[in-house]
Amino acid sequence: MKMGSTFCPADNISHMSSVARDVCPFPDYTPNPLFTNMLSVNSSLQLKHHYTAVQSSLNPKQLEDFTKSLRSTFGREGRVSYGGVGVVALSLAVLFDTLAKQAKGEQVSDSGPIPGLFIKDLRGYYPPHVHTVSEYLRLVPHIANNPTRMKEETERYIKLLTIDDQKLENLGENNMFAMQEDVPLLNVVHGKWFANNLKVHFLRLKNATADELVHSKERPPAVITFNLNCDPETADKDFKAHVQRSDSHTQEAFQKYMTKLKPWLLQVAELEWLNTMFHLACEIGMDDDLKVAQRGDFDLKANALGKWAE
């Protein structure tokens, strides 16, 4: 599949990755669907589906509490400016998940990285972009219907994400190793992807065009460290045995992609990581004119499954 000038590969290694993880668990590099769905040109429809799914997961009492919380945030009309598109749609999706958890009696932190939204780092390290994006998404529901505040805060967070880039550049060689590892690097890419969509939203607020949008053209480091929870050389024999017992798709992928230059399990992790990077590049490279042209508000009241009490 091709979008613009960026080639987007098919996910033809998933069968092999599943077998590899059974032998040697390694991080799941797959982006959270909220990112890919809410920052796409189909965001309004995706948000409506997500809103319905979240409400449907609640019992009557939980749904009542959930709806009451939304109404206390957005008021009687229940409309959210630009709520159906881009970063505002993403903020609403995160809010729906948060309020649903609270309605079920779960504790949800109101600071730090938004749980589940980024690639999980088992050591708990997240680049500064993750914290900045999380702050903005938590803020948006409280300012979405205030055009002046939205414009001011969006511009401020665009600058903050630029500062986050500078922080990484200033780490120095002794501290840069973390940013050459698989999970932190992907989370930085998520931050840059979000920053681009934040700029798109700012252009919408200014009634501007995509001509003013500037993309980051940075490339990942040449050497990337992959953290596997096993000794890949020792586990390769077990992996090969699992492949031989697997279906034809897995065996075909093994024959097509695996070489003898390095451990097979390490190659699988690298392939999945690169596949994810290509998919993210496809999303980032979508038609900017089309994305900036989106203007859809979101009607919480009209799409509510529970009673939007007056």
Side-chain angles (χ1 to χ4, degrees), residues 11-254:
D11 187 11
N12 53 5
I13 65 168
S14 59
H15 296 278
M16 189 168 58
S17 296
S18 178
V19 172
R21 280 200 175 89
D22 288 339
V23 176
C24 178
F26 58 87
D28 184 357
Y29 305 126
T30 308
N32 187 307
L34 293 187
F35 252 109
T36 53
N37 292 341
M38 302 310 155
L39 300 183
S40 73
V41 292
N42 297 318
S43 56
S44 184
L45 180 61
Q46 296 287 354
L47 182 63
K48 185 175 180 180
H49 289 331
H50 187 66
Y51 187 35
T52 299
V54 169
Q55 292 178 92
S56 299
S57 72
L58 304 173
N59 64 36
K61 177 61 171 64
Q62 292 168 347
L63 180 59
E64 180 182 349
D65 292 342
F66 173 87
T67 306
K68 188 179 297 183
S69 295
L70 281 178
R71 185 172 182 270
S72 68
T73 301
F74 295 102
R76 183 173 57 188
E77 297 302 320
R79 293 189 69 86
V80 186
S81 296
Y82 297 103
V85 296
V87 296
V88 184
L90 180 57
S91 76
L92 287 181
V94 168
L95 179 65
F96 297 157
D97 287 349
T98 300
L99 294 181
K101 290 177 182 177
Q102 292 174 341
K104 295 175 182 177
E106 299 178 28
Q107 295 293 321
V108 183
S109 175
D110 59 359
S111 63
I114 293 172
L117 192 60
F118 302 90
I119 308 299
K120 185 175 182 179
D121 191 315
L122 296 179
R123 297 169 307 166
Y125 173 77
Y126 293 92
H129 305 71
V130 169
H131 297 273
T132 302
V133 171
S134 296
E135 283 182 12
Y136 180 82
L137 291 175
R138 289 188 175 106
L139 173 64
V140 165
H142 305 287
I143 63 173
N145 290 327
N146 183 331
T148 300
R149 185 90 189 278
M150 270 297 289
K151 191 179 296 184
E152 291 173 350
E153 291 295 340
T154 298
E155 186 173 24
R156 183 167 76 89
Y157 274 87
I158 289 172
K159 293 177 181 177
L160 287 175
L161 286 167
T162 300
I163 292 173
D164 289 341
D165 288 338
Q166 295 169 349
K167 287 179 181 177
L168 295 185
E169 293 174 2
N170 296 333
L171 281 177
E173 291 185 10
N174 292 335
N175 295 311
M176 274 304 292
F177 70 92
M179 297 321 305
Q180 295 176 345
E181 294 188 354
D182 49 358
V183 172
L185 187 53
L186 268 182
N187 281 325
V188 169
V189 173
H190 276 71
K192 292 180 181 297
W193 179 17
F194 184 88
N196 184 65
N197 280 274
L198 200 58
K199 294 172 186 175
V200 168
H201 183 57
F202 189 56
L203 293 179
R204 290 193 192 109
L205 295 172
K206 296 197 305 177
N207 289 317
T209 69
D211 293 338
E212 298 181 30
L213 188 61
V214 178
H215 290 284
S216 171
K217 296 182 179 179
E218 297 178 36
R219 295 184 177 183
V223 178
I224 301 168
T225 302
F226 290 84
N227 294 298
L228 308 186
N229 296 311
C230 70
D231 177 1
E233 294 186 0
T234 303
D236 264 3
K237 184 176 180 180
D238 194 16
F239 173 55
K240 181 66 179 294
H242 276 67
V243 169
Q244 291 174 336
R245 296 194 297 268
S246 299
D247 57 32
S248 60
H249 295 292
T250 302
Q251 295 180 31
E252 288 171 6
F254 184 89

